[in-house]
Amino acid sequence: MKANIPKGMGGGPQNMQAMIRQAQKMQEDMAAKQEELDAREYDISAGGGVVNVKINGKREILAIDLQPEIVDPDDIETLSDILVAAVNEAIKRVDETNNTELNKITGPMNLPGLF
């Protein structure tokens, strides 16, 4: 049985080479964008600004700044809760930014493990 492929579909070696070049360019663009995103730094605040977290695009915490009024030896739980919230928000912001920026390159295509 012979497959009936419409014109322009499949196409032969030239179309395959063009697709491979396009995929390689996309991979290079994504690698460059990921390097740029990894170098970005984000400042996130929580608890009304009493806790500030600085994080980079690799999700590495660079600094945590605490305002004196949040440090209460009798209420360590509140400080702990605000720190957790700040770090989680920082990680979320990095992930959202990375996804948004990389999706600009790939468009709606989702090929896990390909790039």
Side-chain angles (χ1 to χ4, degrees):
M1 179 178 222
K2 204 173 188 184
N4 189 9
I5 299 175
K7 284 195 174 207
M9 300 292 289
Q14 291 170 337
N15 280 349
M16 183 60 81
Q17 288 173 350
M19 286 176 28
I20 290 171
R21 280 194 301 274
Q22 185 178 5
Q24 287 172 335
K25 168 103 172 69
M26 186 184 299
Q27 189 174 19
E28 290 167 4
D29 291 348
M30 287 182 67
K33 180 58 78 175
Q34 187 64 60
E35 189 174 321
E36 174 190 323
L37 291 169
D38 287 349
R40 279 191 190 176
E41 292 183 0
Y42 304 81
D43 291 306
I44 310 298
S45 65
V50 293
V51 174
N52 293 295
V53 174
K54 181 175 272 199
I55 188 171
N56 67 19
K58 294 182 203 176
R59 294 192 206 143
E60 298 168 335
I61 303 299
L62 304 175
I64 296 178
D65 181 44
L66 308 174
Q67 297 300 314
E69 60 267 22
I70 193 60
V71 182
D72 179 356
D74 296 327
D75 189 11
I76 297 298
E77 186 176 340
T78 297
L79 175 58
S80 178
D81 290 346
I82 293 173
L83 282 170
V84 168
V87 170
N88 285 335
E89 179 60 29
I91 291 169
K92 179 179 171 187
R93 175 93 49 91
V94 169
D95 288 344
E96 288 173 351
T97 301
N98 286 354
N99 288 335
T100 299
E101 293 296 319
L102 292 175
N103 283 338
K104 288 178 183 177
I105 296 170
T106 62
M109 183 173 42
N110 184 11
L111 301 171
L114 183 60
F115 297 107

